[in-house]
Amino acid sequence: MSAPQTETPPEGTPGTGHGPYRRVVLPVSGMGDTAAAHRVANRMRRMDGVIAVEASPALDAVTLTLDPARATLPEVVRELEGLEVAVIDALVPLSIRGMTSSACVARVRRALEGVDGVIEAQINPVLNRADVRLISTARDVEALMQAVRHAGYGVTPLGEHGAVADVETAAVYGFGAGASRVESLILGIVGVLTVPLLANLAWRVLGSAPLFGVTWAFLLSSVVLSLGGARYVLGAWRAIESRAATMDLLVVLGSASAYFYSVIAWIAVPSAGRNLYFETAAAIIAFVRLGKWLEAVVKHGTTRAIRSLMELRAKSARVIRDGALVSKPIEAVAVGDVVMVKPYERIPVDGVVVRGESTVDASMITGAGLPEDKTVGDLVTGGTMNGGGTLHVEASRAAADSTLARIIALVEEAQARRVPLQRFIDRTTTMFVPVVLGVAAFTLFAWLALEGNFSDAINAAVSVLVIACPCALGLAAPTALVAGTGAAAKAGILIRDIDSLEKAYRVDTVLFDKTGTLTEGRPFVTSVEALDGDVSRLLYLAASAQQGNEHPLGRAILEYAENYGIVPAALKSFEAMPGRGVRATIEGQTTILIGNLPLMESDGVDMTVGDWIAPMLAMKGRSAIWVAENGRLIGGLSVCDPMRVDARRAVSALQKDRIACAIVSGDADSAVSSVAEALSIKNAFCDALPETKIRIVRRLQKIGRSVAMVGDGINDAPALAQADLGIAVGSAADAALQSADITLLRTDVISVTNALAVARETWKKIRQNLALAFVYNLIALPLAALGLLSPTVAGAAMAASSISVVFNAFLLTRWTPRLPDAAPPDSPADPCRAATQGGDKPDTPC
């Protein structure tokens, strides 16, 4: 398969005359047979700009001839994905240097998306990062880097250090983190030289004799412009070379206009010292540099959360080989290797403890929580802190697939995304600079025509050029996004993308799964009832069937049986039915069915014979688990699962925010109703299968509700995907995590309220920043054009606008989550918790 190529269309091919046409070969998956290929080809032929299509299921490829004037590669890919055909792509992260405004961002994006095979380029000016999505067969990193260099920017490929690599390499010594040492030094020199110039200007404005003459003003401003303005001159020259308009061009035109006008006027009329602008030219450069320096410092603060996550990654690990310790780079540790972790060291890998006992502190990843005891057989997570014991841990995942790596990848992906308004912002700022140049020219000639004073005219025109920098617009959304997702990650909340933020902002209804979400997910058996009185046999059959089950209810039954010395039979076959129960065959070909009432009824089991034990099994706060042998009901078990101690406070906080809450659970009515009553939740749905949960979500969506689904199990995955916002709790199954928009690393319910709160705050900051940036330009430009702002004040105001936007976003890093309760609340009693505290004792089977 070849990379995308450009070719001239065959003679006589109909088209628009825009040629040359472009031939693209797209590797795909999901086009399983000839019928699917025909469907894809027929649909693509109807797309405007597609000249020819060939879909080959044998090669897993779609070959298209496009008219570039009417059809772009991103449009083609979106059309294919709408047909449920996945284009096989690759993601290349790049570190970009030299971006100073949203005009730069748009220019870098255009350069990258102009490379053959690029589907989309996401640019984040806060992280100085570009994430380029391109066809897998066209993965040419050098071509991407060459396009960025040709656009006038520095570029290096991003390695293992991810989104903050550029921040790290520019780490500062000296004045403040986030700006380079050279930048800080230049700012210091420029500042020292500009202060006397500003003092001289202030002295003149007050009507006193200047502190020093024009010669000194000329010399000092010349040094400031040469030293402090060199980077802007270089950026402006690159912009002119590529026929683009950037912030650098505005700064250079503004400062150079003031400087060269002053030089010419001074030479022509040596006595005209009071009408010269040497101080203004220097002040413009000084204020712009100060603004950029402060911006870098605050931006460094917004990336603190992800940098702290990256610092948790181990560089090496001690692997036990043939009884000896071998130090290996973390990337070289393979699944199955046994790693030794000494006391008070960071655990380097995800794995299972095979030797030793200790406590492990996971607060740096989950955001809260006390250290947990770990012993042989317990799972540990890479990046967490070992306590006072020595552990031997068998690696269960490679470093690239570890929990910490997945967390960092999720945060990076969210931070690299653009808000829905960003395309409009990019288009606006691309046109903004040419418009400002036009306004400045108009201002100059209007003042000359109306006042006839060239000095006043140049003053107003320079003010327009300086004050109209679009930096604030470009930083408005990315800074808030980076700060918000970083603050969320620090609290153990992973937000998948910017769309999830907007959806969380609009949520007005939250549906909770019960088991493992509102409850602790550690159920225990409270009683066993057998129709024939043989409780031991019923428990023997139930435990035998549950040997293949990883569900908490299955583990609870096995533990209960083990406590009474029951040895399960050998398991022949096992089938789990999410949301309903299990079917198993044991030795002797006995078929056991264990689950809820809907499972029994769907399998044709006569449930009327169990009517007399139903009240005993389904007491308040308990779930009834029925057991059938070879299609005949033989009894059941009563199971309790204590409610999480912070559930009531979390639900109450949501209700105060006018968010409706409901429970959607596969458990029986008695257990669901008990939890709903304790939490003051009016709407509760019991015996809900996965398809039932989807129907409930859709029904709410049809009446205009914006629904968030909170769950942790495989049976919750379909509802998580269907809901407007899916929230998976920390112990969630992989299917639930993949379906969720937000993942909670902690299992407390208060994290749900925290997730919605931080998402709302982040979205508010994005909107506030955009409003600040637009209002600033709407007010500042007319004032500058009317001559009400001097160039010096304009330079300060321009710097202040960017700093205010970044600082407003920085405030998000101070966001603090609500913490879970440490003890059960004084709310309606939880019958299950009473049982765990000695209120009820489990019945003995014999």
Side-chain angles (χ1 to χ4, degrees):
M1 232 178 293
S2 61
Q5 304 168 17
T6 300
E7 67 171 21
T8 304
E11 198 173 330
T13 302
T16 63
H18 292 291
Y21 291 155
R22 183 182 179 195
R23 181 174 180 270
V24 180
V25 180
L26 298 175
V28 300
S29 62
M31 193 171 59
D33 52 26
T34 305
H38 282 309
R39 179 173 60 86
V40 169
N42 290 335
R43 173 72 173 270
M44 295 306 295
R45 286 191 189 100
R46 294 198 295 270
M47 183 177 174
D48 184 42
V50 175
I51 308 303
V53 182
E54 181 184 346
S56 172
L59 298 176
D60 286 328
V62 177
T63 304
L64 304 104
T65 302
L66 308 176
D67 182 346
R70 295 185 293 151
T72 64
L73 186 56
E75 291 169 346
V76 167
V77 170
R78 282 195 293 271
E79 190 74 15
L80 282 171
E81 289 173 344
L83 295 168
E84 297 183 356
V85 175
V87 174
I88 301 173
D89 56 14
L91 191 69
V92 176
L94 300 172
S95 175
I96 311 294
R97 297 184 302 279
M99 293 187 296
T100 55
S101 69
S102 54
C104 297
V105 171
R107 191 161 158 227
V108 171
R109 182 180 297 111
R110 284 197 305 271
L112 288 170
E113 291 182 348
V115 177
D116 271 354
V118 172
I119 299 169
E120 183 184 29
Q122 299 274 2
I123 316 294
N124 191 310
V126 179
L127 303 175
N128 298 318
R129 173 182 174 130
D131 286 281
V132 188
R133 182 188 176 204
L134 70 169
I135 301 168
S136 59
T137 52
R139 196 180 189 279
D140 187 348
V141 179
E142 187 55 43
L144 297 173
M145 293 170 63
Q146 189 60 39
V148 175
R149 292 191 193 104
H150 184 70
Y153 300 89
V155 58
T156 52
L158 271 177
E160 62 168 323
H161 297 296
V164 294
D166 209 42
V167 177
E168 293 300 324
T169 55
V172 161
Y173 312 95
F175 294 110
S180 73
R181 181 163 48 181
V182 173
E183 288 293 314
S184 299
L185 180 61
I186 291 175
L187 175 63
I189 296 172
V190 167
V192 168
L193 296 178
T194 304
V195 167
L197 286 169
L198 290 175
N200 198 47
L201 176 62
W203 213 257
R204 280 176 24 218
V205 169
L206 293 173
S208 303
L211 297 175
F212 47 79
V214 178
T215 303
W216 276 105
F218 165 73
L219 291 174
L220 289 174
S221 63
S222 297
V223 175
V224 169
L225 266 66
S226 300
L227 184 62
R231 61 175 289 186
Y232 300 108
V233 172
L234 181 60
W237 178 251
R238 287 173 175 168
I240 293 169
E241 279 187 324
S242 57
R243 297 177 183 177
T246 65
M247 184 211 82
D248 293 335
L249 191 58
L250 291 181
V251 171
V252 169
L253 283 175
S255 56
S257 299
Y259 179 79
F260 286 114
Y261 166 77
S262 301
V263 170
I264 294 168
W266 182 36
I267 294 171
V269 186
S271 62
R274 297 185 67 85
N275 294 319
L276 303 182
Y277 298 104
F278 288 119
E279 296 91 344
T280 295
I284 290 170
I285 294 298
F287 281 128
V288 170
R289 290 202 78 106
L290 175 62
K292 286 297 173 187
W293 183 85
L294 289 172
E295 186 183 300
V297 171
V298 181
K299 279 162 62 175
H300 187 77
T302 64
T303 62
R304 185 182 300 132
I306 189 171
R307 281 185 285 109
S308 64
L309 282 174
M310 289 182 172
E311 287 166 1
L312 299 179
R313 297 187 299 188
K315 299 291 189 296
S316 62
R318 298 184 192 87
V319 177
I320 302 174
R321 285 283 170 84
D322 301 324
L325 289 178
V326 180
S327 182
K328 298 177 66 174
I330 194 65
E331 296 81 8
V333 177
V335 174
D337 283 348
V338 176
V339 174
M340 188 182 80
V341 187
K342 291 184 177 181
Y344 306 108
E345 282 188 343
R346 204 170 295 286
I347 297 172
V349 294
D350 289 4
V352 180
V353 177
V354 294
R355 181 180 173 185
E357 294 182 356
S358 187
T359 58
V360 173
D361 182 2
S363 61
M364 62 287 296
I365 290 181
T366 62
L370 297 173
E372 295 182 1
D373 293 331
K374 298 290 182 181
T375 187
V376 175
D378 289 339
L379 298 175
V380 291
T381 303
T384 54
M385 184 63 74
N386 183 28
T390 298
L391 295 177
H392 289 190
V393 178
E394 182 180 328
S396 58
R397 284 194 181 120
D401 299 323
S402 68
T403 300
L404 185 57
R406 291 164 66 191
I407 291 170
I408 293 171
L410 273 174
V411 177
E412 286 186 343
E413 182 182 350
Q415 294 185 344
R417 295 287 181 183
R418 285 187 289 170
V419 297
L421 286 172
Q422 193 68 44
R423 290 188 183 275
F424 168 73
I425 296 168
D426 292 344
R427 287 195 300 268
T428 302
T429 51
T430 301
M431 297 183 294
F432 190 76
V433 175
V435 168
V436 168
L437 292 175
V439 172
F442 176 80
T443 300
L444 177 67
F445 291 115
W447 272 86
L448 287 174
L450 295 174
E451 298 292 332
N453 187 323
F454 192 77
S455 177
D456 290 343
I458 196 73
N459 186 79
V462 168
S463 296
V464 168
L465 288 171
V466 173
I467 206 164
C469 175
C471 301
L473 271 177
L475 292 168
T479 50
L481 181 60
V482 169
T485 53
K490 190 176 178 181
I493 300 164
L494 303 182
I495 301 172
R496 184 174 296 276
D497 52 34
I498 185 63
D499 293 332
S500 303
L501 281 176
E502 185 176 10
K503 289 186 286 189
Y505 178 77
R506 303 181 188 283
V507 163
D508 57 20
T509 305
V510 175
L511 302 182
F512 287 98
D513 173 48
K514 183 183 79 70
T515 305
T517 303
L518 292 173
T519 61
E520 293 179 0
R522 294 196 300 268
F524 59 92
V525 177
T526 57
S527 65
V528 182
E529 302 290 343
L531 295 181
D532 61 0
D534 192 348
V535 174
S536 295
R537 174 169 169 75
L538 185 147
L539 193 57
Y540 164 77
L541 293 175
S544 300
Q546 293 290 359
Q547 289 178 96
N549 193 6
E550 289 299 318
H551 192 280
L553 288 174
R555 291 197 295 270
I557 293 171
L558 283 169
E559 288 175 6
Y560 187 80
E562 184 180 344
N563 288 339
Y564 292 101
I566 291 176
V567 179
L571 191 65
K572 298 295 185 182
S573 67
F574 176 84
E575 179 190 1
M577 290 160 280
R580 297 193 293 174
V582 301
R583 184 194 311 274
T585 303
I586 60 174
E587 57 187 7
Q589 300 304 311
T590 300
T591 299
I592 310 299
L593 195 67
I594 305 178
N596 55 19
L597 185 63
L599 174 64
M600 296 295 156
E601 291 176 340
S602 66
D603 213 67
V605 177
D606 181 9
M607 298 300 295
T608 57
V609 295
D611 285 347
W612 65 275
I613 63 169
M616 291 184 282
L617 293 178
M619 293 174 65
K620 187 176 182 181
R622 302 179 185 182
S623 299
I625 307 297
W626 298 97
V627 183
E629 177 186 9
N630 293 327
R632 180 178 60 86
L633 185 70
I634 61 172
L637 303 94
S638 182
V639 178
C640 233
D641 187 6
M643 193 168 65
R644 295 192 186 278
V645 295
D646 63 341
R648 181 169 178 78
R649 189 161 69 99
V651 170
S652 177
L654 290 172
Q655 291 171 339
K656 284 181 181 177
D657 289 336
R658 297 185 179 180
I659 296 176
C661 297
I663 299 175
V664 183
S665 174
D667 279 352
D669 177 64
S670 60
V672 176
S673 298
S674 174
V675 172
E677 181 183 345
L679 298 178
S680 300
I681 292 178
K682 295 179 181 178
N683 297 308
F685 304 87
C686 60
D687 295 322
L689 302 176
E691 52 268 31
T692 310
K693 294 182 180 183
I694 290 180
R695 283 200 301 270
I696 293 168
V697 172
R698 286 176 178 167
R699 193 185 312 156
L700 289 167
Q701 289 171 330
K702 282 182 180 178
I703 61 173
R705 308 294 292 189
S706 183
V707 182
M709 176 71 199
V710 186
D712 76 324
I714 293 174
N715 59 314
D716 297 318
L720 288 170
Q722 175 63 40
D724 298 286
L725 183 76
I727 302 177
V729 299
S731 57
D734 283 343
L737 292 172
Q738 291 168 6
S739 304
D741 298 296
I742 294 178
T743 301
L744 308 178
L745 300 181
R746 289 158 51 182
T747 54
D748 47 76
V749 190
I750 206 72
S751 287
V752 176
T753 66
N754 288 333
L756 295 179
V758 73
R760 286 195 301 269
E761 286 301 311
T762 304
W763 193 249
K764 284 179 185 176
K765 287 294 183 188
I766 290 173
R767 296 172 69 182
Q768 287 172 7
N769 280 353
L770 290 173
L772 274 172
F774 274 112
V775 169
Y776 162 80
N777 281 290
L778 286 174
I779 294 173
L781 266 177
L783 291 177
L786 292 171
L788 300 176
L789 295 175
S790 71
T792 303
V793 174
M798 185 271 285
S801 70
S802 295
I803 295 167
S804 64
V805 163
V806 177
F807 183 74
N808 188 44
F810 174 73
L811 293 177
L812 269 174
T813 63
R814 305 296 179 91
W815 175 83
T816 54
R818 293 185 177 101
L819 295 177
D821 293 316
D826 298 326
S827 56
D830 175 10
C832 282
R833 189 164 296 283
T836 65
Q837 296 168 350
D840 291 335
K841 296 293 184 184
D843 296 337
T844 56
C846 305

